[in-house]
Amino acid sequence: MAAVTFSVAASARVCLAEVDPPIALGPLDGRYRGAVAPLVDHLSEAALNRARIEVEVEWLIALCNGVGEAPGSVVPGAPALSDDEIAYLRSLSATFGAAEIAELAEIERVTIHDVKAVEYFIKRRLTPEVLTTAGLPSSQLPAAAELVHFACTSEDINNLAIALMVRGAVREVWLPAATALADQIADMARELAAVPLLSRTHGQPATPTTLGKELAVTAHRLRRQLRRIETAEYLGKINGATGTFGAHVVAVPQANWPAISRAFVEHLGLSWNPLTTQIESHDWQAEVFADVARFGRILHNFATDVWTYISLGFFTQIPVAGATGSSTMPHKVNPIRFENAEANLEISGALFDVLGATLVTSRLQRDLTDSSSQRNIGVAFGHSLLAVDNVRRGLKALHANAELMARDLNENWEVLGEPIQSAMRAAAVAGVPGMDNPYERLKDLTRGHRIDATALREFVASLGLPADAAARLGALTPATYTGLATQLVADYLA
């Protein structure tokens, strides 16, 4: 019988690139949009243009009305702006929406320059006709129009806009989510502080701990990184084409431009960088990205550990009604949240590493590698935020199987070799006879094979230990050999 073949001519196939509305190329704007959408308000191209408008407007206001402790016009002849005029200017960024995004894109198609397009966008709104429509018929803003982008290179606007964007994304989106995750882990740690767990160092049975104490370690590590990120410094500069205030001094020689620059940058809530080339050096960005990446690597370690505890059965997953674990094995509930987090943290960490390495370098006074790189800041934060979201969801679906952990402990009495030989050492120092070679004797007794409670207790009874030490060891079990684990959670987990 002849084989039946089926094919679709390439010309007959739907061109997905032409489907309307447009199909997202990447998963952050497609499949995972819901989890990362808040970052769009800070790290998207539209957010960049909105921040540029904000910086340009604030610079215009500063040139007309002064900034900081130096009120009054910076540029001679510049009009003093009224409260209504300032409110109007600030509304340009506040009302920046779909129509304005489209208009700005249209201008940029002509200028082939994004920052110049922003300058023209603002100037369009400073004409008498537009101002009259806006309810400012007698405005002096037309007289100030040429102060838009005055003495600025594009990077004067961009570096400040990006600092505002990253600061907003970190403080308003990423940090709240990451903090909530650390708090969630801390809450679990307190809840499970007294649940004994057999440790596995090098994958082998080791000194018991508690599940809560192990969770507390992660919460403590994550919170330390969060404290670093919370105190991050966001730098900015506005000093001209090569950082010399060259155009500023020639145009208005009497002004104290470094003081004005500092006051303006600090007015935006940023830290002033006095010494730069054409670009602000971006070192602060590398520092923030390294800290966020490190947080992610700690979280990645946690995700793989939780995955392992799930595989051992120590955590069971609460099934979601209607959800499918495996397309062929109906019984499965796969730890997909933690696996998804692993992948996204690896992508995020790699992007942050590349950004940190690239952004601290620039050929001579300027090259554009930073501009292209910085457009991926949102992608790096997006994958990090998505991972945080997945871990938080995954943790909500976990239940600690204390019974199985107890059985695991009861099958590994040999882990008590450590406290027994330690007690023998202490007794030897105190002069108790017969305590020689304690480590070696316990090694012979326990290494490489299982030993039960009876055999271990018989060994302890045969040692001739002081009565109090013999009683402590005789009552000890793997489940009670957890040291100060529960107390450590209570005392040191904030």
Side-chain angles (χ1 to χ4, degrees):
M1 181 175 179
V4 177
T5 60
F6 177 78
S7 65
V8 177
S11 60
R13 182 178 297 161
V14 172
C15 180
L16 298 180
E18 297 175 359
V19 170
D20 190 49
I23 297 172
L25 176 62
L28 295 182
D29 287 314
R31 183 181 185 90
Y32 303 124
R33 170 79 178 194
V36 303
L39 289 173
V40 173
D41 206 42
H42 299 276
L43 296 175
S44 63
E45 190 74 16
L48 172 58
N49 282 324
R50 182 173 64 183
R52 285 166 169 161
I53 293 169
E54 179 183 351
V55 173
E56 293 275 17
V57 160
E58 292 299 324
W59 183 237
L60 174 59
I61 294 170
L63 294 173
C64 291
N65 286 29
V67 63
E69 298 179 0
S73 169
V74 173
V75 179
L81 303 179
S82 68
D83 290 345
D84 287 343
E85 288 168 329
I86 291 173
Y88 169 76
L89 287 172
R90 287 175 173 160
S91 74
L92 301 185
S93 61
T95 60
F96 187 73
E100 291 75 20
I101 292 169
E103 179 187 348
L104 190 54
E106 178 187 350
I107 298 171
E108 188 180 342
R109 279 193 286 271
V110 176
T111 63
I112 318 298
H113 194 287
D114 47 7
V115 177
K116 202 66 179 175
V118 168
E119 177 186 343
Y120 290 163
F121 175 89
I122 294 171
K123 284 183 174 178
R124 281 185 178 185
R125 284 150 176 79
L126 303 185
T127 64
E129 297 78 14
V130 173
L131 290 165
T132 298
T133 303
L136 296 169
S138 302
S139 174
Q140 297 195 73
L141 283 172
E146 286 309 319
L147 292 181
V148 177
H149 205 68
F150 176 80
C152 290
T153 183
S154 296
E155 183 58 17
D156 284 323
I157 307 304
N158 282 338
N159 88 95
L160 296 170
I162 289 171
L164 293 174
M165 292 163 60
V166 174
R167 185 186 67 182
V170 170
R171 292 183 178 177
E172 297 176 30
V173 180
W174 188 89
L175 258 177
T179 301
L181 170 59
D183 290 347
Q184 184 178 358
I185 297 171
D187 288 342
M188 291 179 66
R190 283 185 282 267
E191 178 186 346
L192 301 169
V195 176
L197 168 74
L198 181 68
S199 293
R200 281 175 166 78
T201 58
H202 308 279
Q204 306 303 308
T207 299
T209 179
T210 71
L211 182 55
K213 181 263 177 182
E214 299 310 303
L215 292 168
V217 170
T218 295
H220 182 70
R221 294 178 71 193
L222 294 177
R223 283 174 165 175
R224 182 170 178 273
Q225 298 309 312
L226 292 175
R227 287 193 296 273
R228 291 172 60 92
I229 297 165
E230 285 168 351
T231 58
E233 191 176 20
Y234 301 85
L235 274 64
K237 71 99 181 181
I238 186 163
N239 53 14
T242 57
T244 65
F245 297 101
H248 306 66
V249 171
V250 170
V252 186
Q254 69 273 27
N256 184 343
W257 285 109
I260 293 166
S261 171
R262 178 173 191 159
F264 180 71
V265 171
E266 291 177 351
H267 163 72
L268 296 176
L270 306 173
S271 297
W272 184 55
N273 188 344
L275 289 170
T276 76
T277 60
Q278 185 176 107
I279 69 165
E280 196 287 318
S281 305
H282 308 330
D283 298 344
W284 71 263
Q285 294 183 46
E287 291 159 7
V288 171
F289 300 158
D291 286 345
V292 176
R294 193 179 309 107
F295 176 97
R297 291 187 171 101
I298 294 168
L299 186 58
H300 185 282
N301 187 188
F302 176 70
T304 58
D305 279 357
V306 172
W307 186 97
T308 303
Y309 288 138
I310 292 171
S311 73
L312 293 170
F314 296 165
F315 276 129
T316 57
Q317 298 178 96
I318 303 168
V320 176
T324 298
S326 166
S327 63
T328 187
M329 292 174 278
H331 68 283
K332 294 186 73 180
V333 182
N334 293 332
I336 57 171
R337 294 296 176 194
F338 301 98
E339 293 170 342
N340 183 297
E342 284 182 52
N344 281 287
L345 289 167
E346 288 162 8
I347 295 168
S348 173
L351 285 171
F352 280 131
D353 286 350
V354 170
L355 288 169
T358 299
L359 292 176
V360 296
T361 63
S362 181
R363 293 179 187 86
L364 303 179
Q365 283 69 50
R366 176 70 166 129
D367 70 57
L368 272 175
T369 53
D370 62 337
S371 179
S372 297
S373 298
Q374 286 170 320
R375 281 184 160 86
N376 290 282
I377 293 173
V379 181
F381 273 104
H383 284 287
S384 176
L385 185 64
L386 178 58
V388 168
D389 179 72
N390 270 286
V391 174
R392 291 190 68 192
R393 290 195 197 191
L395 291 177
K396 289 178 182 177
L398 294 184
H399 172 73
N401 190 340
E403 182 180 342
L404 182 59
M405 285 183 271
R407 288 204 301 269
D408 188 45
L409 285 159
N410 199 47
E411 291 172 359
N412 287 277
W413 281 78
E414 61 271 15
V415 298
L416 297 186
E418 179 192 39
I420 294 170
Q421 62 96 9
S422 296
M424 291 173 67
R425 286 172 183 263
V429 171
V432 177
M435 297 295 118
D436 53 308
N437 300 318
Y439 176 87
E440 290 73 18
R441 289 163 70 183
L442 266 297
K443 176 181 172 183
D444 291 341
L445 178 69
T446 62
R447 191 178 191 189
H449 56 86
R450 293 289 174 88
I451 188 169
D452 61 18
T454 301
L456 203 65
R457 284 170 175 157
E458 288 175 353
F459 177 81
V460 169
S462 71
L463 291 174
L465 284 164
D468 60 339
R472 284 197 305 274
L473 291 174
L476 195 63
T477 71
T480 60
Y481 180 43
T482 58
L484 302 178
T486 302
Q487 183 180 332
L488 290 169
V489 176
D491 289 352
Y492 298 106
L493 183 63

